[in-house]
């Protein structure tokens, strides 16, 4: 069985997230999605996240695409997850191109084209202007 892993905040889950989850899933037989904890996001400077971790996990769950959902809580966890869970492929959006090449020591690394014209930031801005 080919296991794929991808990570993200998945705040106010939108079409861009759905596309990447679908395409990541197509790379194998079993998709693991790592959702960032609220603490991890604030530590990595991701501010303005609207939904709590539980709400973001629920959003990912509702897509029906994740075979397993885990929480990403610390820097360096990706290597631990890949080894612990026997992951074959790490997939992430092209906005991260090159940033995760170091994981190729542990599994295949694939950058998937980011969906243009949609982002959590844009959705937040639209909401604020309603
Ligand atoms: N994404 C996309 N198209 C968009 C928006 C996002 O393909 N229009 C992808 C991102 O490239 C990422 C995933 O959706 O692969 C989740 O995006 P975010 O929720 O913004 O999470 P991010 O900060 O990219 O977390 O450890 C965390 C990860 O390293 C990445």
């Amino acid at each position: 069985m080919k296991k794929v892993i991808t990570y993200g905040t998945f705040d106010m889950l939108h079409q861009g997230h759905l596309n990447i989850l679908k395409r990541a899933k197509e790379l194998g037989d079993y998709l693991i999605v790592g959702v960032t904890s609220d603490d991890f996001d604030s530590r990595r400077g991701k501010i303005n996240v609207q939904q709590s971790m539980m709400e973001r996990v629920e959003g990912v769950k509702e897509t029906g695409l994740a075979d397993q959902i885990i929480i990403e809580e610390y820097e360096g966890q990706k290597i631990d997850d890949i080894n612990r869970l026997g992951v074959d492929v790490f997939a992430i959006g092209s906005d991260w191109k090159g940033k995760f090449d170091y994981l190729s020591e542990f599994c295949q690394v694939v950058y998937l084209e980011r969906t243009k014209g949609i982002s959590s930031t844009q959705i937040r801005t639209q909401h604020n202007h309603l």
Side-chain angles (χ1 to χ4, degrees), residues 6-11 14-21 23 34-36 40-41 44 46 56 72 78 90-96 100 112-120:
T6 192
Y7 292 87
T9 303
F10 302 106
D11 189 28
H14 56 63
Q15 193 59 46
H17 297 140
L18 258 184
N19 289 347
I20 201 149
L21 291 176
R23 288 163 67 211
V35 177
T36 53
F40 182 57
D41 268 338
R44 71 188 183 116
K46 194 143 185 176
R56 294 182 286 108
E72 184 179 28
K78 290 183 178 76
F90 168 87
I92 199 95
S94 54
D95 44 325
W96 290 99
F100 291 108
L112 296 168
E113 199 55 49
R114 191 181 155 88
T115 305
K116 291 187 183 64
I118 184 150
S119 70
S120 304

Side-chain angles (χ1 to χ4, degrees), residues 18-58:
L18 258 184
N19 289 347
I20 201 149
L21 291 176
K22 275 190 202 140
R23 288 163 67 211
K25 176 124 184 163
E26 283 166 11
L27 295 173
D29 314 298
Y30 187 90
L31 179 65
I32 304 162
V33 181
V35 177
T36 53
S37 71
D38 298 324
D39 277 0
F40 182 57
D41 268 338
S42 45
R43 280 203 305 277
R44 71 188 183 116
K46 194 143 185 176
I47 48 160
N48 255 330
V49 177
Q50 300 293 296
Q51 294 184 307
S52 69
M53 182 190 78
M54 285 318 293
E55 290 172 317
R56 294 182 286 108
V57 164
E58 207 46 50

